[in-house]
Amino acid sequence: MSSYLVCALLTALALPLMAMSETAVAASSSATPLDVKKLMSQAARGDARASFLLGAAYASGQSVTRDHKEAVYWFRNAAKKGLAEAQYNLAIMYATGTAGVKYNPATAAKWHRKAAEQGLAEAQYNLGTMYGTGRGVERDDKRAAEWLRKAADQGMVEALYNLAVLYEYGQGVPQDSERALTRYQQAADAGYVKARQRLRELESNADSADDNVINSTRNTAVDSDFGAKIAPRRSSQQQAAGGLKQTPQSKTGTLRSASTAAADGVRTASWFATLDPDRYTLQILSLTKEFSSRAFIRKHRLEQQAAYFAVRKNDRTWYAVTYGLYDTVQAAEAAGKSLPDSIKDLKPWVRSTGRIQQSMLR
């Protein structure tokens, strides 16, 4: 991408809707005064780059008097010659109704598409938001996701975030909490504040009363394997030591099965299906949202030992979080005594893998 690319101030989508920024700033990235006469001569000979630089100069007032009509003229000149940066900036002008052109979202979409097809991430992002809102084009969530994915694949944080939104809500793509969380995390790691805020919200939801958290389905035919609850307090020495202890794992179905683990290491129903039905695990809690289950696991850093599965009960889908894999009930109970207080307060209980296999949704 050229260092002369004109910048558009792109605003991330507000959940769950999408909107493109109304603001664009056109300027050359160089602080050196431009030789306008030389650029005029080069542009007259068909040099698209020179035309673009003239458009950027007139849009910003660098080395010339600011003149939006002249900016539009030179941007259009370069855009017709196929220069993606010029196509993009011309699109911004039509999308915002900048002095020199009338507001025309359909024309904006046309020029955004031309630039997007050449791989310009900013244009791909804006075109995606236009499809997501039906602005200048017929609304199409699937196309919105396709263009946002192209921009996201180039590392554009706004696109990463908005693609995560689509995966979270299942707009234009299958609802997929794993991919949504991955995209949110990528945007957050790149410093995008909205992504960090959304991850915190998802983690908070894992503890929310709205999710009907505390194993409200335990005393049912589906969810009861044993009558005893495992909630003993640790000694002060154990509390001081902190952390989760490694538990013995033998026989079949280890927690590190690469073929049945998600990208972030969390096991799901496909992993449970591979296990010996005569083994045991600790069910920590059940939540009504898959996102909240995954966020709970991430918040408590249980990725190495946790798994979750879906079960249908009372006309609702629940997502049960489990911890560990053990050969006997006694081994599971012993492991429960070593869990941190924050987990033990939820009163985890022993379940057989066979009963989980019978009850879970696949």
Side-chain angles (χ1 to χ4, degrees):
M1 188 179 298
S2 168
S3 61
Y4 293 109
L5 175 64
V6 178
C7 298
L9 305 181
L10 301 172
T11 302
L13 313 181
L15 290 171
L17 302 176
M18 294 189 286
M20 186 177 67
S21 171
E22 298 293 339
T23 305
V25 178
S28 170
S29 62
S30 173
T32 304
L34 297 175
D35 187 337
V36 175
K37 289 185 178 181
K38 182 178 180 180
L39 288 175
M40 288 283 189
S41 176
Q42 292 172 335
R45 295 195 298 269
D47 188 327
R49 174 64 58 187
S51 293
F52 169 74
L53 290 176
L54 285 169
Y58 278 111
S60 65
Q62 180 185 355
S63 302
V64 294
T65 301
R66 192 173 188 179
D67 188 326
H68 286 296
K69 288 185 178 180
E70 282 291 310
V72 171
Y73 172 82
W74 291 111
F75 278 143
R76 183 180 287 113
N77 187 294
K80 288 181 177 179
K81 290 181 171 63
L83 193 66
E85 295 94 325
Q87 294 167 345
Y88 168 72
N89 283 279
L90 189 59
I92 290 293
M93 288 184 155
Y94 279 109
T96 59
T98 301
V101 298
K102 292 183 179 180
Y103 170 72
N104 191 326
T107 301
K110 179 189 78 171
W111 288 111
H112 268 129
R113 183 177 291 104
K114 289 181 180 295
E117 288 173 347
Q118 295 192 66
L120 199 63
E122 290 83 352
Q124 292 169 341
Y125 170 79
N126 276 357
L127 186 59
T129 64
M130 295 181 86
Y131 273 115
T133 59
R135 179 177 170 186
V137 293
E138 184 176 350
R139 179 166 180 169
D140 189 325
D141 287 341
K142 184 176 180 180
R143 288 189 177 182
E146 290 172 353
W147 285 112
L148 288 173
R149 185 181 294 108
K150 290 178 184 295
D153 288 345
Q154 296 193 61
M156 189 172 184
V157 294
E158 296 90 346
L160 285 166
Y161 172 81
N162 291 312
L163 186 58
V165 172
L166 296 186
Y167 276 119
E168 179 178 353
Y169 290 92
Q171 291 180 231
V173 292
Q175 190 171 26
D176 190 323
S177 62
E178 178 189 336
R179 291 187 178 183
L181 282 171
T182 297
R183 296 295 191 176
Y184 279 135
Q185 191 62 59
Q186 288 173 337
D189 290 344
Y192 197 59
V193 174
K194 287 183 178 291
R196 291 176 178 174
Q197 291 173 340
R198 187 59 185 150
L199 286 173
R200 285 196 295 268
E201 290 170 1
L202 292 170
E203 289 180 350
S204 177
N205 286 344
D207 294 330
S208 171
D210 292 338
D211 280 325
N212 302 313
V213 171
I214 309 299
N215 282 322
S216 60
T217 60
R218 175 180 294 139
N219 295 319
T220 68
V222 170
D223 282 310
S224 59
D225 289 333
F226 303 95
K229 298 178 181 179
I230 305 173
R233 292 288 179 178
R234 288 185 296 176
S235 67
S236 58
Q237 291 86 351
Q238 288 174 315
Q239 292 177 12
L244 295 176
K245 293 185 178 180
Q246 295 294 321
T247 55
Q249 311 246 337
S250 60
K251 294 188 179 180
T252 60
T254 65
L255 290 179
R256 299 299 298 165
S257 173
S259 62
T260 55
D264 58 2
V266 180
R267 273 65 51 181
T268 58
S270 59
W271 175 74
F272 282 104
T274 67
L275 300 181
D276 183 335
D278 294 327
R279 302 194 73 186
Y280 302 90
T281 187
L282 293 168
Q283 182 165 320
I284 298 174
L285 79 172
S286 297
L287 301 169
T288 58
K289 296 177 183 177
E290 183 178 7
F291 250 96
S292 295
S293 294
R294 298 186 73 90
F296 175 89
I297 291 169
R298 290 165 60 90
K299 178 178 180 179
H300 293 278
R301 299 181 180 181
L302 302 178
E303 291 91 342
Q304 299 303 311
Q305 293 289 337
Y308 75 93
F309 63 93
V311 62
R312 191 73 178 170
K313 188 63 181 174
N314 298 329
D315 295 324
R316 300 190 71 177
T317 299
W318 295 78
Y319 297 91
V321 177
T322 68
Y323 175 85
L325 187 61
Y326 312 97
D327 293 335
T328 65
V329 173
Q330 292 75 20
E333 290 175 340
K337 296 177 182 179
S338 299
L339 292 171
D341 287 345
S342 60
I343 303 298
K344 289 196 294 185
D345 285 346
L346 297 173
K347 297 180 173 59
W349 52 297
V350 177
R351 296 206 62 186
S352 72
T353 54
R355 291 296 298 274
I356 289 175
Q357 289 167 345
Q358 293 172 13
S359 64
M360 68 184 184
L361 298 177
R362 298 172 188 267

